[in-house]
Amino acid sequence: MAASKSKETAKREADRVSSGIPGLDKLIGGGYIVNDIYLVTGGTGTGKTLFCCQFLWEGLQKGEKSIFFSLEELPDDVLHDAAVFGWDFQKYISSGMFSIEYQDPFEMVDIASMVREKIQKFGAKRIVIDSTSIFGMVFEKEHELRKSLYNLIKQLKGIDCVVLMTAEVVEGSKGLSRYGVEEFVVDGVITLASTNVGGEFFLNLQVKKMRRTPHEKGLYPYEISTKGIEILSSK
Ligand SMILES: Nc1ncnc2c1ncn2[C@@H]1O[C@H](COP(=O)(O)OP(=O)(O)OP(=O)(O)O)[C@@H](O)[C@H]1O
Ligand SMILES: [Mg+2]
């Protein structure tokens, strides 16, 4: 019994996928879990897109295929921003390991099926969807928006990948995402926040939720430098 338990534990550990953010994996029990969907949420400019690029870049270094679905920024802008950190995604596009897909928000008729199909065809292991906040521009009726978002998340379950989705939160809002659907349906939520202390701004990360794993719950300061995001101190 004990032997089979430790086998299971070993398998779970092997299934962990590194975040690419120095200092983060140990806060989340060793890394992300395959088949889980995570929400990276925070105010504007807190580093959500960067956080996701770093995750994909890490995967590419390990030979894992990845796709970035950009619903906001044009692919060239994302690639250009990433290049500033020394991440040459273009090289991996050429070698067929990486794909960046731009989806015009106003043509998002059935984004869920489109995304699922592309992931399966490409054989990607790491997926990013940036950002779910754009859904609000497309759907006039709130129930339609929630339904579409819920359907997208459902379609991303069970496809043998780790998925990071971003959501912008409005400054001062108490919610974790703009529409309040994402945080309940996803398996984990990581928040990035900028706090003003006496006119100085500090960035901190918090793991709000992480299903099926023990995780740290405190606020962890992080910095953005020329190397990307890094957790400054982790107990
Ligand atoms: N070399 C750098 N050194 C320090 N900070 C940097 C550097 N490059 C970018 N940044 C910070 O990263 C932020 C941009 O990160 P990113 O685009 O990932 O944020 P975001 O949360 O996705 O924003 P948005 O709400 O616009 O989508 C910038 O606002 C800037 O503060
Ligand atoms: Mg962004």
Side-chain angles (χ1 to χ4, degrees), residues 109-128:
V109 187
D110 187 6
I111 189 176
S113 314
M114 181 281 283
V115 162
R116 191 183 165 106
E117 217 170 88
K118 285 214 163 130
I119 293 168
Q120 289 180 325
K121 222 170 163 184
F122 197 70
K125 289 285 163 212
R126 295 183 182 224
I127 311 297
V128 163

Side-chain angles (χ1 to χ4, degrees), residues 16 26-30 210-217:
R16 294 280 178 166
K26 61 182 169 191
L27 305 183
I28 56 173
M210 197 71 50
R211 285 181 183 148
R212 292 174 287 280
T213 192
H215 66 87
E216 298 296 336
K217 297 179 179 71

Side-chain angles (χ1 to χ4, degrees), residues 40-53 72-73 81 84-85 130-131 166-169 192 203 222-229:
V40 182
T41 172
T44 186
T46 49
K48 300 179 295 297
T49 303
L50 181 53
F51 186 99
C52 293
C53 286
E72 254 174 27
E73 287 184 78
D81 290 355
V84 171
F85 295 92
D130 184 34
S131 149
T166 66
E168 196 194 321
V169 278
L192 304 179
L203 295 167
Y222 69 92
E223 73 169 7
I224 304 177
S225 72
T226 47
K227 288 189 279 181
I229 294 181

Side-chain angles (χ1 to χ4, degrees), residues 11 21-22 61 88 91 116 119 146 148 152 154 178 188 193 197 201 204 220 225-226 228 233:
K11 187 183 174 311
I21 311 282
Q61 306 318 297
D88 181 9
K91 186 174 81 184
R116 191 183 165 106
I119 293 168
R146 286 168 188 266
S148 175
L152 171 64
K154 240 177 37 190
R178 192 166 280 189
V197 181
F201 285 90
N204 53 64
Y220 289 85
S225 72
T226 47
S233 67

Side-chain angles (χ1 to χ4, degrees), residues 61-76:
Q61 306 318 297
K62 293 182 166 167
E64 295 166 11
K65 283 187 165 186
S66 54
I67 308 186
F68 189 114
F69 292 95
S70 184
L71 308 183
E72 254 174 27
E73 287 184 78
L74 292 172
D76 277 353

